Amino acid sequence: MKSSTLKFLSIVLFGSLILNMMACEDDQTTEMPEPNETEIWTGTTITFEKVNDADPNDEANQDRLTDNVWLTRGNDGGQIYNAKSENDASKNTSPSGTQWALGTIDNVDDLDFQSFRSTITPKQAVGKDLVLFLPADNVYLSVKFTKWSSGKGGGFAYERSSK
């Protein structure tokens, strides 16, 4: 190609880029949240329950908090796990994609977040105020277990805050 043709094409491409940038500026009618913006769910209280022997693979027996975290409990009597990323519970790391702390959402900045089992033993969780952090979603919510079945069966229930 001749240099005059290349120069012409460069000018056309540059002009097109400028016009596209100007058009995009006019389309900014809604504010997008910051990518790392933290959400604290303090909405209506939701009650979730999985009864003994209910299929943990059934969506009805999973509390699907976000696209990344679906809490349930297996029928072997283990602890809760994240059905989105785990097939069953691991005592030291489940539920994956979560961090827990004893306390209330009002004190979220002062809480020490750890794995579920490092925070509390499941049988002792009933009646305690807990805060759940979902790192992938950057969300905090309140959780209070109201039931934890002993032995096999996998039943449990809790109340939690919503978006």
Side-chain angles (χ1 to χ4, degrees):
M1 269 189 202
K2 291 184 179 181
S3 67
S4 61
T5 304
L6 286 175
K7 187 175 181 180
F8 175 76
L9 288 174
S10 296
I11 292 170
V12 169
L13 287 173
F14 182 73
S16 177
L17 177 65
I18 297 296
L19 287 173
N20 280 332
M21 288 172 56
M22 291 171 54
C24 287
E25 284 180 13
D26 292 339
D27 290 341
Q28 294 178 355
T29 56
T30 58
E31 268 187 55
M32 295 298 291
E34 292 295 318
N36 294 325
E37 190 173 319
T38 301
E39 272 189 77
I40 298 178
W41 290 1
T42 57
T44 308
T45 299
I46 293 174
T47 299
F48 174 80
E49 181 175 13
K50 178 192 173 283
V51 298
N52 276 338
D53 302 316
D55 181 2
N57 297 311
D58 184 341
E59 183 177 337
N61 300 314
Q62 302 168 355
D63 188 9
R64 295 192 171 194
L65 299 166
T66 67
D67 290 341
N68 300 308
V69 178
W70 306 348
L71 297 181
T72 193
R73 186 176 178 213
N75 295 338
D76 60 358
Q79 70 183 41
I80 58 175
Y81 65 93
N82 181 356
K84 173 66 177 184
S85 58
E86 301 173 288
N87 294 321
D88 56 17
S90 170
K91 185 176 182 177
N92 296 321
T93 59
S94 292
S96 67
T98 68
Q99 295 178 352
W100 300 76
L102 278 168
T104 62
I105 205 89
D106 299 334
N107 299 317
V108 73
D109 292 331
D110 299 322
L111 300 177
D112 179 28
F113 289 88
Q114 303 175 42
S115 69
F116 180 71
R117 191 61 175 237
S118 295
T119 301
I120 196 161
T121 58
K123 290 179 186 178
Q124 294 174 337
V126 174
K128 300 284 192 308
D129 289 318
L130 297 165
V131 177
L132 170 56
F133 177 55
L134 311 176
D137 301 292
N138 213 9
V139 168
Y140 292 90
L141 60 142
S142 299
V143 178
K144 185 180 275 190
F145 285 86
T146 57
K147 175 183 165 188
W148 191 272
S149 294
S150 296
K152 300 205 182 269
F156 74 106
Y158 58 75
E159 296 173 340
R160 68 165 174 89
S161 56
S162 64
K163 193 170 184 173

